[in-house]
Amino acid sequence: MIEEMPCVLSNRYLRNIAWKWVFKLWNILSMFYKQIEENSARQSEDLGSQFTEIFIKQQENVTLLLSLLEEFDFHVRWPGVKLLTSLLKQLGPQVQQIILVSPMGVSRLMDLLADSREVIRNDGVLLLQALTRSNGAIQKIVAFENAFERLLDIITEEGNSDGGIVVEDCLILLQNLLKNNNSNQNFFKEGSYIQSMKPWFEVGDENSGWSAQKVTNLHLMLQLIRVLVSPTNPPGATSSCQKAMFQCGLLQQLCTILMATGVPADILTETINTVSEVIRGYQVNQDYFASVNAPSNPPRPAIVVLLMSMVNERQPFVLRCAVLYCFQCFLYKNQKGQGEIVSTLLPSTIDATGNSVSAGQLLCGGLFSTDSLSNWCAAVALAHALQENATQKEQLLRVQLATSIGNPPVSLLQQCTNILSQGSKIQTRVGLLMLLCTWLSNCPIAVTHFLHNSANVPFLTGQIAENLGEEEQLVQGLCALLLGITIYFNDNSLESYMKEKLKQLIEKRIGKENFIEKLGFISKHELYSRASQKPQPNFPSPEYMIFDHEFTKLVKELEGVITKAIYKSSEEDKKEEEVKKTLEQHDSIVTHYKNMIREQDLQLEELKQQISTLKCQNEQLQTAVTQQASQIQQHKDQYNLLKVQLGKDSPHQGSYNDGAQMNGIQPEEIGRLQEEIEELKSNQELLQSQLAEKDSLIENLRSTQTSPGTNEQSSVTASARDSEQIAELKQELVTLKSQLNSQSLEITKLQTEKQELLQKTEAFVKSVPVPGESEAGMATETTDVEGRLSALLQETKELKNEIKALSEERTAIKEQLNSSNSTIAILQNERNKLQVDITDSKKEQDDLLVLLADQDQKILALTNKLKELGHPVEEEDELESGDQDDEDEENEDDGKDQDDI
């Protein structure tokens, strides 16, 4: 057995060697075949481009091919589409130019989208993709050929985000048409096609329906939204698209996906980036995003949930970059949002119970964590909360941090400088320096707080003065920028750190040229130019995450002015400060007048609105008056009609007319009728009294007849006479009775007619407003309306007078503003002249110094020659040269003493 062991080992060894050689040989053969395939592919591409060039040499060939596409026959149309697509892939720009100049060329290709055969339609989409690539003229023609509507219909028919590869091809074509094409973007917005995109993002609550094709489709859909609201687009076009997306509910739908569970990581990241650009710089969308809450218990703001992901080092790097971009876009040109974020750091708003985590606490936690990427992201996010907002820079100075138990609290500004001095990672120090530069720029109060700590300036000068490696050069440049900001925005409130003293310190410890060289390290860094291109933080790995886009703008703005400030003398600084003060005074005056003009404009607008409302009220009252007058006229016409009708129906027209004109229609006729009635009543009473006298006389005569008489003969004659009188009296009585009866009948008839007329008029009054009362009411109403109208007219006159006075005052203010502007221009011209005079005097002084130095050299050389020749030199000259040397030595000693100090 022992003898067989070497043989077995040798067999295994040989077998292993054989396998190794076989494996190597297989690798070599695979590489060989791969190279052959690549060469064949290159050769085929070269052949295709050569054949395409031969084919399109004669443009008639492409024109003929376009005409063949009008054929409906499948065996003609489909191969024509394939051939034209391959031509565009080989030599796209040349074929595009031929199609562009051919009549109805693009229109014929657009007809392919309407083909009922899906194969031709889908290949037509691929053909239009190749046709519209990087050609703005063809993109516009295709868009105006109703391409948007057709493509959106195809996407809807295929199932939106659940569709297949056809949806993906349509979305790619839409991106070709809209990307970097402002005309097509405007046409897409005005055609209300943004509203058609909302159903794309109704993904539902199910978590199992995320196929690879659906993820691709949604990714392209989100990119299409970003094309419409890209920061590189014109601001007006971007804001109009953002407004349309909010109004149609598209932003709300995206926020729903953002807060949903089970969404794939790449879709979630792209959704965050999309929401970022939809809300960037548009106040309404930013306010809505601030109100979005995550579906948690208790509900938390979406901003807080996203910041938790940003400062969590276990989250993917791409997701953390997207959250940072979303936070930056939320704060971009949003002073309200900046104030809300900073307020969560202030002592009065911090939750003492600790039940809820605020955005400010998360940013502070990320700023001082052990993860350098969290430090950088939190510092940049906090810097965006201070961007172009001096109020929040001052508010942030109030933030106090508890470092450890028993120690007094430290300000946030001091804690940042403490971490800087501890020598942490480069990414952490860069982030903190960017935060401090943003914080101190344009804020003299923050500069004073920073300089108040005596350790900050020596630390910065020590960092700048050291000769460190290439990795530390960026930190040195940022320290130089921070020190330059403390000089440029210094208000000289601290005597030990005034502008001139800081400049002297730089000159002694660092040197002006060295300082400017270190300052230039920032803009010369390779990652600086990359960050300055786009606002989105897009880095391949965390090591490249150094600069922020907004910070590059700040560097570009401050680098030149800091360089000038370093080289300026104290006199120039004083002159510049005086000019600044005068300009600030003029600016304050101008702003004061502008505010006055603005207030007066507001008052004028209010007065105009009041005048317009009063005019409307006046018009309404006038219409009411005209309506009431027309109603009065209608009532009068109705009563006149009624009067005529009643006059026709009654046989006693006079009395009936009198009854019909009662209650205020004809009062004189009513009075006359009452007088006639009274006269008839008096006649009746007179007749009744006469009748009573006759009756008493008749009774007396009868009594004389019945009484016995003694002398009958004498009474015969008397009785004959009396009988004649009686007969006459009876005749008169009969006539009187007949008259009385006729008059009583006439009175009763008049009374019945009067009662009937009164009943009719009462019934008519119940159905129609009483004209007397209506006329009285109308008269009172018209008097009230006239009074109100006169009052309104008086008010409008007063308002007009006020408007006239305000306009005169406004013109006077404008004249004062123009005069102040002219004085500003005169001061600026004087300042420019002074600067030119100063530069000229400097040049002359330098020239004189050069001439004096040359003369001193010549004199020294001549004295030396005289000494060599043995000519005696006067002692006064030697003494003067010795005194000059002694003065130079004393100056050097003084300089050394100042350095030691």
Side-chain angles (χ1 to χ4, degrees):
M1 291 291 292
I2 295 170
E3 294 177 355
E4 291 178 357
M5 282 294 291
C7 185
V8 173
L9 288 170
S10 63
N11 290 333
R12 286 181 181 174
Y13 180 71
L14 292 170
R15 197 176 298 159
N16 288 333
I17 290 171
W19 276 112
K20 286 180 181 178
W21 278 103
V22 169
F23 185 70
K24 285 182 179 178
L25 184 62
W26 181 77
N27 284 332
I28 291 167
L29 289 172
S30 62
M31 290 173 65
F32 178 71
Y33 284 123
K34 189 176 181 181
Q35 190 172 3
I36 289 172
E37 288 177 358
E38 288 178 357
N39 292 331
S40 62
R42 288 174 187 170
Q43 290 176 0
S44 63
E45 286 179 2
D46 293 339
L47 284 172
S49 61
Q50 289 174 10
F51 283 128
T52 304
E53 190 174 356
I54 293 168
F55 184 81
I56 66 171
K57 263 187 181 178
Q58 295 182 351
Q59 296 186 3
E60 293 82 6
N61 295 334
V62 180
T63 308
L64 180 62
L65 184 58
L66 290 171
S67 63
L68 289 173
L69 291 177
E70 293 182 348
E71 295 290 334
F72 189 73
D73 189 0
F74 180 81
H75 298 288
V76 176
R77 200 171 204 183
W78 187 56
V81 172
K82 287 287 191 181
L83 176 58
L84 194 55
T85 305
S86 62
L87 292 174
L88 284 164
K89 285 180 180 178
Q90 294 295 331
L91 294 174
Q94 293 88 333
V95 180
Q96 286 174 347
Q97 194 61 31
I98 295 169
I99 293 172
L100 189 61
V101 298
S102 63
M104 298 296 291
V106 180
S107 300
R108 291 170 182 171
L109 298 178
M110 285 299 301
D111 293 337
L112 298 173
L113 296 180
D115 201 307
S116 58
R117 294 160 293 192
E118 290 187 0
V119 177
I120 295 177
R121 184 199 68 184
N122 298 342
D123 285 338
V125 173
L126 296 174
L127 171 60
L128 289 171
Q129 279 183 22
L131 180 66
T132 56
R133 192 172 289 117
S134 303
N135 194 311
I138 292 177
Q139 289 169 3
K140 290 179 183 178
I141 295 169
V142 171
F144 283 98
E145 287 284 344
N146 208 14
F148 292 137
E149 187 174 353
R150 294 184 186 181
L151 291 171
L152 292 171
D153 290 341
I154 293 170
I155 292 170
T156 306
E157 290 172 6
E158 294 292 327
N160 293 327
S161 59
D162 294 320
I165 191 71
V166 179
V167 174
E168 180 182 349
D169 294 335
C170 291
L171 291 169
I172 293 170
L173 178 55
L174 283 171
Q175 283 191 18
N176 287 349
L177 295 174
L178 292 172
K179 197 168 186 178
N180 300 323
N181 196 318
N182 298 327
S183 175
N184 283 1
Q185 289 174 9
N186 192 26
F187 180 66
F188 190 85
K189 177 187 65 71
E190 290 180 353
S192 301
Y193 296 119
I194 292 175
Q195 289 80 346
S196 304
M197 299 167 74
K198 185 186 174 185
W200 295 356
F201 302 99
E202 293 174 357
V203 294
D205 297 329
E206 69 277 0
N207 297 329
S208 59
W210 291 99
S211 62
Q213 187 61 52
K214 183 173 182 178
V215 171
T216 304
N217 291 342
L218 266 174
H219 205 273
L220 289 169
M221 289 170 178
L222 292 168
Q223 285 181 351
L224 188 63
I225 293 176
R226 293 185 66 186
V227 166
L228 294 170
V229 293
S230 174
T232 58
N233 292 343
T238 301
S239 61
S240 59
C241 289
Q242 289 171 334
K243 181 180 179 182
M245 287 175 186
F246 176 76
Q247 289 177 346
C248 72
L250 184 57
L251 176 60
Q252 294 84 332
Q253 200 70 38
L254 292 173
C255 290
T256 304
I257 297 173
L258 190 68
M259 294 291 109
T261 56
V263 180
D266 53 347
I267 292 297
L268 181 61
T269 303
E270 192 63 25
T271 304
I272 294 171
N273 289 327
T274 306
V275 171
S276 305
E277 293 183 353
V278 172
I279 67 172
R280 186 176 188 269
Y282 192 69
Q283 188 67 49
V284 177
N285 293 3
Q286 288 168 340
D287 292 341
Y288 171 76
F289 184 71
S291 66
V292 175
N293 289 323
S296 59
N297 192 13
R300 288 176 175 172
I303 297 171
V304 174
V305 176
L306 291 173
L307 287 177
M308 286 179 178
S309 302
M310 187 185 76
V311 298
N312 188 356
E313 55 185 319
R314 289 177 293 180
Q315 292 292 338
F317 172 68
V318 181
L319 180 65
R320 297 173 76 180
C321 291
V323 173
L324 177 61
Y325 184 46
C326 184
F327 191 74
Q328 290 174 353
C329 292
F330 169 67
L331 297 177
Y332 183 70
K333 293 183 179 179
N334 184 11
Q335 293 192 353
K336 179 183 176 184
Q338 288 174 332
E340 291 173 355
I341 296 298
V342 173
S343 66
T344 58
L345 285 163
L346 299 177
S348 59
T349 56
I350 294 174
D351 189 6
T353 60
N355 294 328
S356 61
V357 181
S358 65
Q361 291 171 343
L362 288 169
L363 290 176
C364 278
L367 194 63
F368 307 124
S369 70
T370 56
D371 179 29
S372 61
L373 184 59
S374 297
N375 301 150
W376 192 91
C377 291
V380 170
L382 200 55
H384 277 262
L386 306 175
Q387 200 78 37
E388 297 179 359
N389 196 330
T391 304
Q392 302 311 322
K393 290 177 183 179
E394 295 175 6
Q395 287 292 320
L396 201 64
L397 295 170
R398 297 170 49 202
V399 177
Q400 300 289 323
L401 302 173
T403 53
S404 60
I405 299 172
N407 292 329
V410 180
S411 67
L412 178 62
L413 184 65
Q414 185 58 42
Q415 186 65 17
C416 291
T417 55
N418 291 340
I419 294 171
L420 271 176
S421 61
Q422 291 172 4
S424 53
K425 293 181 181 179
I426 290 179
Q427 194 172 34
T428 302
R429 283 183 286 163
V430 168
L432 289 171
L433 285 168
M434 286 195 297
L435 172 60
L436 290 173
C437 290
T438 307
W439 193 348
L440 269 61
S441 63
N442 294 296
C443 187
I445 299 172
V447 171
T448 304
H449 277 74
F450 180 79
L451 295 174
H452 196 71
N453 187 356
S454 58
N456 289 336
V457 174
F459 168 74
L460 292 177
T461 54
Q463 287 285 318
I464 299 166
E466 289 182 4
N467 292 320
L468 302 174
E470 292 182 359
E471 293 181 354
E472 295 289 334
Q473 284 182 353
L474 178 59
V475 176
Q476 287 183 321
L478 291 170
C479 288
L481 179 66
L482 183 58
L483 187 58
I485 288 171
T486 58
I487 293 171
Y488 186 72
F489 295 105
N490 194 339
D491 58 356
N492 294 326
S493 58
L494 292 174
E495 292 184 2
S496 56
Y497 290 110
M498 296 176 71
K499 282 185 179 181
E500 192 60 31
K501 291 185 177 180
L502 287 172
K503 282 194 253 183
Q504 290 175 2
L505 186 65
I506 289 171
E507 189 172 0
K508 291 178 182 178
R509 296 282 176 86
I510 305 167
K512 291 183 179 179
E513 289 78 9
N514 192 18
F515 179 84
I516 300 302
E517 183 183 358
K518 297 289 176 70
L519 183 61
F521 285 163
I522 302 172
S523 56
K524 291 177 183 176
H525 201 276
E526 58 181 353
L527 297 176
Y528 176 85
S529 59
R530 184 172 183 175
S532 62
Q533 292 173 0
K534 291 182 180 179
Q536 182 183 359
N538 190 9
F539 305 101
S541 62
E543 292 79 17
Y544 291 89
M545 207 168 191
I546 298 296
F547 286 109
D548 175 54
H549 177 75
E550 293 296 327
F551 181 73
T552 58
K553 291 182 180 178
L554 183 67
V555 172
K556 194 180 294 183
E557 178 185 348
L558 294 178
E559 188 176 4
V561 295
I562 289 172
T563 304
K564 290 179 182 178
I566 294 296
Y567 283 109
K568 278 181 183 177
S569 63
S570 59
E571 294 179 356
E572 289 177 349
D573 285 336
K574 288 179 181 178
K575 288 180 180 178
E576 189 174 352
E577 285 179 1
E578 289 176 359
V579 172
K580 274 185 179 179
K581 286 180 181 179
T582 54
L583 289 173
E584 285 176 359
Q585 289 176 359
H586 285 290
D587 288 339
S588 64
I589 293 168
V590 169
T591 51
H592 174 67
Y593 283 123
K594 283 182 179 178
N595 292 328
M596 286 181 63
I597 290 167
R598 195 177 293 112
E599 290 175 359
Q600 288 176 356
D601 287 337
L602 292 173
Q603 291 176 0
L604 284 171
E605 289 295 328
E606 291 177 358
L607 291 171
K608 285 179 181 178
Q609 290 177 359
Q610 289 179 3
I611 289 168
S612 62
T613 53
L614 290 172
K615 282 182 179 179
C616 292
Q617 290 178 0
N618 190 5
E619 291 176 356
Q620 290 175 359
L621 291 171
Q622 284 180 354
T623 53
V625 167
T626 52
Q627 287 177 359
Q628 290 176 358
S630 63
Q631 287 179 359
I632 291 168
Q633 188 63 37
Q634 288 177 0
H635 291 321
K636 283 183 178 180
D637 294 339
Q638 288 176 359
Y639 279 107
N640 289 327
L641 256 167
L642 182 63
K643 182 180 73 174
V644 172
Q645 288 177 358
L646 290 173
K648 288 181 180 179
D649 293 338
S650 174
H652 302 279
Q653 188 173 359
S655 64
Y656 205 75
N657 285 337
D658 293 339
Q661 295 295 330
M662 287 180 69
N663 295 319
I665 299 172
Q666 288 184 359
E668 64 277 1
E669 293 181 2
I670 291 171
R672 186 171 52 80
L673 184 63
Q674 286 178 353
E675 287 175 358
E676 289 177 0
I677 290 168
E678 291 294 330
E679 188 178 354
L680 290 171
K681 283 182 179 180
S682 62
N683 290 330
Q684 184 182 4
E685 288 174 356
L686 181 64
L687 290 171
Q688 284 179 354
S689 62
Q690 289 179 1
L691 183 63
E693 289 176 358
K694 297 295 181 183
D695 286 334
S696 62
L697 183 61
I698 289 165
E699 289 293 330
N700 290 327
L701 290 172
R702 284 180 180 174
S703 62
T704 55
Q705 283 181 357
T706 54
S707 61
T710 55
N711 195 357
E712 294 181 355
Q713 291 178 356
S714 57
S715 62
V716 173
T717 56
S719 61
R721 196 170 52 251
D722 289 334
S723 60
E724 290 176 358
Q725 289 179 357
I726 288 167
E728 289 176 358
L729 288 170
K730 284 183 179 180
Q731 187 67 31
E732 287 179 3
L733 182 63
V734 170
T735 55
L736 287 171
K737 282 183 177 181
S738 61
Q739 288 178 2
L740 183 63
N741 289 328
S742 63
Q743 287 181 357
S744 62
L745 287 172
E746 192 171 355
I747 289 166
T748 54
K749 190 175 180 180
L750 286 169
Q751 286 178 351
T752 53
E753 286 179 359
K754 179 182 177 183
Q755 290 295 327
E756 288 176 358
L757 187 60
L758 286 171
Q759 289 175 0
K760 286 182 181 180
T761 52
E762 284 175 359
F764 185 76
V765 164
K766 287 179 183 179
S767 61
V768 181
V770 179
E773 295 176 357
S774 63
E775 282 183 354
M778 292 295 180
T780 56
E781 286 181 3
T782 50
T783 53
D784 292 337
V785 170
E786 287 175 356
R788 289 174 68 185
L789 284 173
S790 63
L792 288 172
L793 289 171
Q794 186 66 29
E795 287 181 2
T796 52
K797 286 180 180 178
E798 292 175 357
L799 288 172
K800 284 180 180 178
N801 293 327
E802 289 180 3
I803 290 165
K804 187 176 180 182
L806 287 171
S807 63
E808 291 174 356
E809 191 176 355
R810 182 179 178 184
T811 52
I813 289 166
K814 283 185 177 179
E815 289 174 0
Q816 292 178 359
L817 182 62
N818 293 326
S819 65
S820 62
N821 288 328
S822 63
T823 54
I824 289 166
I826 292 164
L827 286 170
Q828 286 179 350
N829 290 326
E830 290 178 357
R831 179 189 173 189
N832 293 328
K833 289 178 181 177
L834 286 172
Q835 288 179 350
V836 171
D837 294 335
I838 288 164
T839 53
D840 293 335
S841 63
K842 275 189 175 183
K843 288 179 181 178
E844 290 175 1
Q845 188 177 3
D846 292 334
D847 295 333
L848 288 171
L849 288 171
V850 170
L851 289 170
L852 288 171
D854 292 335
Q855 287 178 0
D856 289 334
Q857 291 293 329
K858 288 178 181 178
I859 291 165
L860 185 61
L862 289 170
T863 53
N864 291 328
K865 282 183 181 181
L866 288 170
K867 284 180 182 180
E868 288 174 1
L869 294 168
H871 193 275
V873 181
E874 293 180 359
E875 293 180 356
E876 291 179 358
D877 297 336
E878 290 179 353
L879 287 171
E880 286 176 1
S881 62
D883 293 336
Q884 190 173 0
D885 294 336
D886 293 334
E887 285 176 2
D888 293 337
E889 289 176 0
E890 287 177 0
N891 290 328
E892 288 177 1
D893 293 333
D894 292 334
K896 288 179 181 178
D897 293 335
Q898 286 179 359
D899 290 336
D900 294 333
I901 290 166

